[in-house]
Amino acid sequence: MRRKIVVGNWKMNGSLASNERLLKALVEKIPQAISVDIVVCAPYPYLFQTQSYLKHSPIFWGAQNVAKFESGAFTGEVSVSMLKEFGASYVIIGHSERSTAYCESDENIATKFMMVKKAGMTPILCVGETLIEREAGIMEKVVSKQLDTIIEMYGEEIFDETVIAYEPIWAIGSDLAASPEQAQAMHQFIREKLSSNTKVIKSLKIIYGGSVNPQNALQLFSMPDVDGGLVGRASLNASDFESICHSAEI
Ligand SMILES: O=C[C@H](O)COP(=O)(O)O
């Protein structure tokens, strides 16, 4: 049974004061011996604060995006080396809220994915379909295309020791989570697509994102190919996030 991982994506939320309350509560609530990998991905300006509160806890921290360049004249961008300086160990790549708002191409996402791995951090690659694509029955084709771009550019082995988050776009922020069966079907599809590489199949974690909450987490995480969750709104509430993390314990 793969050790599960629960990632909190704060998105563009927080303040120094509210973050202090949330981080202190998480450190207090999450036991050192918890059998789940837990990550919080804060907005860039709060990485120093996240590092200072979490560095002696079992909770990892990370970012919600990164530049595809090493360094240079790229105004407003943040590089992998800058994230490393703040102890980040995970980076969310290709979240649909970014790829739609900023027209991020599959190629750009693939390059960022590679940059994060090259820097020794763990990329969390977001894939998923729209409601129209699901209703048309082409969700597997859509997710395949997102993965194929990375495979064509860097080979399947790049997925070794990484995380893929299946996030049906229609379930994000909607309180209409995918059913456990829907999640399992897509996670199984993704795992089978990447199953020819034995290293990958052993180390790849596939997590579900889209309206995960304390009420549905246990059912979702009990599915055989669901290795945890990528949690938005519920990660901003310490008790809810704690409950979701405990639901992922084996
Ligand atoms: O990154 C998290 C996902 O976008 C899900 O967000 P949500 O839990 O608020 O639906």
Side-chain angles (χ1 to χ4, degrees), residues 74-132:
F74 306 103
T75 302
E77 290 294 278
V78 175
S79 70
V80 287
S81 56
M82 294 171 184
L83 297 183
K84 294 270 289 185
E85 289 205 310
F86 290 101
S89 42
Y90 289 83
V91 185
I92 296 172
I93 302 291
H95 193 287
S96 60
E97 290 163 350
R98 289 197 54 79
S99 50
T100 43
Y102 305 102
C103 304
E104 281 205 298
S105 68
D106 287 344
E107 291 72 16
N108 270 359
I109 291 166
T111 304
K112 291 182 176 186
F113 187 87
M114 178 276 297
M115 293 288 287
V116 170
K117 269 215 81 177
K118 200 172 113 186
M121 295 185 284
T122 303
I124 301 166
L125 173 73
C126 296
V127 297
E129 79 285 357
T130 64
L131 185 59
I132 291 172

Side-chain angles (χ1 to χ4, degrees), residues 114-188:
M114 178 276 297
M115 293 288 287
V116 170
K117 269 215 81 177
K118 200 172 113 186
M121 295 185 284
T122 303
I124 301 166
L125 173 73
C126 296
V127 297
E129 79 285 357
T130 64
L131 185 59
I132 291 172
E133 290 163 341
R134 174 160 282 270
E135 286 171 345
I138 58 169
M139 53 276 189
E140 292 181 354
K141 191 175 172 190
V142 169
V143 169
S144 272
K145 179 178 174 298
Q146 293 169 310
L147 298 174
D148 285 341
T149 303
I150 294 178
I151 294 168
E152 284 155 21
M153 289 173 69
Y154 303 109
E156 199 174 279
E157 58 277 7
I158 197 171
F159 284 103
D160 180 30
E161 299 292 341
T162 63
V163 179
I164 294 177
Y166 168 59
E167 288 214 316
I169 296 169
W170 47 272
I172 296 172
S174 66
D175 286 333
L176 179 69
S179 70
E181 294 71 25
Q182 287 174 322
Q184 169 57 27
M186 286 305 293
H187 284 227
Q188 185 177 349

